[in-house]
Amino acid sequence: MNDEAKRTNGQTIPNGMLEDNYPRNMWWVAAHRDELTTKPLARWLLETPVVLYRLEDGTPAALYDRCPHRWAPLSEGHVEGDKIICPYHGMEFNKAGRCTKAPTQHMRPKTAEIPSFAVREAGAYVWIWMGDQDAIDCDPPEVEYQSDPGWAPVHGYYEVAANWVLIRENVLDLTHIAFLHKDTFKQDDWITAPDTYMDGETICYEQEFDLAPLSPLFCAGMGLPEDKPIKRVQKGRMPSLAISFSDWNVHDPAPEEGHRSDFIVRGCHIVTPAQRGKTHYFWMAAFDVPSLTDVVAEKTRASVTAAFDEDKHLLEKLQASVAADPRGLDFLEVTLGADGAGIKVRQILNKKLKAEGRSLQRQ
């Protein structure tokens, strides 16, 4: 291969960030559990308009957000019992998407059916399976601590104008923290790549650090001063393309009398494809303490948001630039040592798409 070819061979392993690169046969997060009520919620998921709601008994449901009569969005309607009512002509649909009543006529239109999707509530989130419903062979990933009274969570949500893979790779490559987040995370020792390995189909990493001050994002939640040197071990895992975790295992070698010496703060990063080039990003930081004061919770939320705003800004600029560039993905992409986890993400993605009979075009 000549030098010019080497410079223009694009991605060795494609991530499909400009394409439909969303596996269908897996669980994705549709919403935080607190978002779902009997008031219908409209949300684009995997380039599909979906209406999410709870039946009056609290059961979550999800349908294609389009009445088959004159295509009015069902999300503009309302719920009565176990039915959702179209706002346009009052047609009623059950959670299976079947029309059970058309008030303007005596006969129920037998062809008036719309797709329904399997939804399951697990931990703090409502999950959805949008592929082959007969292919459901597992439960959503377990996230026990999200509802454990021994843990105190802080959570948030973004809609990011970038492909979901960019966010997934971002949260698995933590060497960017020392640069992009130098004024927010203030963790400048994170410049070497962790050991990355596979545990079955789960991507894992682990890295131990010498004594250094903890990031101010998490000091308040642990009751630690921002200038105190501590030991920490970073552990991460991605059991699904939809969700990954990053644990900060903190050890204070000289705790004050009566204070704990060991803490864990668990980061949770959830991505769900929305419309093309957009992603729902749900995040959570959970401390292994029973509760946080309102002041500490708000300080933590504001600090994490300030850091994630930096990610959002850069990834949206990246997406827009690549999408507008006529060369698109046909441009040299250099892989560094810290990209081990990101490369594994792409390998898993391509394997899942191949299993669904789809593939990404190598640029």
Side-chain angles (χ1 to χ4, degrees):
M1 183 182 294
N2 60 39
D3 290 342
E4 179 61 25
K6 290 180 181 179
R7 286 195 297 271
T8 60
N9 64 354
Q11 296 180 323
T12 302
I13 304 175
N15 66 10
M17 60 173 281
L18 300 181
E19 308 168 46
D20 171 355
N21 64 347
Y22 321 134
R24 268 65 170 176
N25 289 335
M26 59 175 281
W27 291 103
W28 297 95
V29 166
H32 189 276
R33 64 184 178 196
D34 294 343
E35 292 183 278
L36 256 61
T37 67
T38 54
K39 179 179 174 59
L41 171 68
R43 179 154 286 169
W44 280 83
L45 304 169
L46 278 61
E47 299 191 56
T48 302
V50 176
V51 56
L52 301 156
Y53 58 99
R54 293 188 187 276
L55 309 183
E56 286 189 350
D57 68 0
T59 303
L63 299 176
Y64 197 93
D65 192 15
R66 198 187 215 186
C67 179
H69 174 223
R70 284 296 180 264
W71 299 352
L74 292 174
S75 55
E76 291 297 311
H78 66 282
V79 172
E80 289 184 5
D82 62 352
K83 307 291 194 303
I84 186 168
I85 316 298
C86 178
Y88 204 178
H89 297 94
M91 293 177 68
E92 301 180 5
F93 296 86
N94 62 20
K95 65 179 183 179
R98 184 174 298 110
C99 178
T100 58
K101 183 178 180 180
T104 59
Q105 64 184 45
H106 294 296
M107 183 178 294
R108 178 181 64 84
K110 295 182 179 180
T111 58
E113 293 189 18
I114 51 178
S116 64
F117 306 103
V119 286
R120 294 185 189 173
E121 195 162 0
Y125 297 96
V126 176
W127 296 74
I128 189 168
W129 184 291
M130 299 186 67
D132 181 358
Q133 303 294 286
D134 293 331
I136 298 176
D137 58 357
C138 62
D139 293 322
E142 290 290 336
V143 194
E144 303 93 340
Y145 72 90
Q146 292 178 348
S147 53
D148 187 327
W151 288 75
V154 178
H155 65 88
Y157 165 82
Y158 284 93
E159 182 177 80
V160 183
N163 185 271
W164 68 278
V165 172
L166 298 183
I167 302 174
R168 174 56 60 226
E169 292 179 341
N170 172 270
V171 299
L172 288 173
D173 167 24
L174 300 179
T175 60
H176 78 276
I177 285 178
F179 304 95
L180 183 60
H181 303 308
K182 62 181 182 296
D183 297 323
T184 49
F185 265 90
K186 297 181 180 179
Q187 204 82 72
D188 59 5
D189 57 353
W190 222 330
I191 57 174
T192 56
D195 294 327
T196 304
Y197 59 95
M198 297 296 297
D199 180 8
E201 295 186 354
T202 298
I203 298 174
C204 303
Y205 67 80
E206 185 169 340
Q207 191 168 14
E208 185 171 348
F209 291 85
D210 294 328
L211 283 169
L214 181 66
S215 169
L217 270 67
F218 307 125
C219 286
M222 297 182 181
L224 294 172
E226 296 183 7
D227 59 351
K228 186 173 188 178
I230 56 92
K231 290 276 289 184
R232 75 182 199 279
V233 176
Q234 303 286 163
K235 295 182 179 181
R237 60 189 180 90
M238 189 200 80
S240 159
L241 291 172
I243 188 169
S244 67
F245 305 98
S246 53
D247 289 2
W248 304 59
N249 297 269
V250 173
H251 174 70
D252 180 356
E256 296 181 17
E257 186 175 353
H259 286 228
R260 290 171 56 179
S261 59
D262 295 286
F263 299 86
I264 300 174
V265 58
R266 176 160 294 162
C268 177
H269 308 278
I270 296 171
V271 292
T272 304
Q275 293 171 288
R276 185 72 60 92
K278 293 183 179 180
T279 301
H280 303 290
Y281 172 48
F282 305 85
W283 64 266
M284 179 178 289
F287 297 84
D288 65 338
V289 298
S291 63
L292 301 174
T293 66
D294 290 344
V295 171
V296 169
E298 189 50 44
K299 180 179 180 180
T300 302
R301 184 178 292 105
S303 298
V304 173
T305 299
F308 288 174
D309 282 346
E310 296 168 335
D311 291 304
K312 180 177 185 293
H313 174 80
L314 184 64
L315 293 181
E316 289 183 338
K317 290 290 186 181
L318 189 164
Q319 176 83 33
S321 176
V322 175
D325 187 341
R327 293 181 66 174
L329 306 183
D330 185 19
F331 185 77
L332 175 66
E333 183 184 44
V334 175
T335 295
L336 302 178
D339 297 319
I343 292 301
K344 290 179 174 64
V345 168
R346 297 186 186 191
Q347 292 170 336
I348 292 172
L349 168 61
N350 281 269
K351 181 180 178 180
K352 288 189 72 68
L353 291 176
K354 184 177 180 180
E356 295 181 10
R358 301 158 59 210
S359 63
L360 298 173
Q361 297 296 317
R362 180 174 172 178
Q363 300 295 315

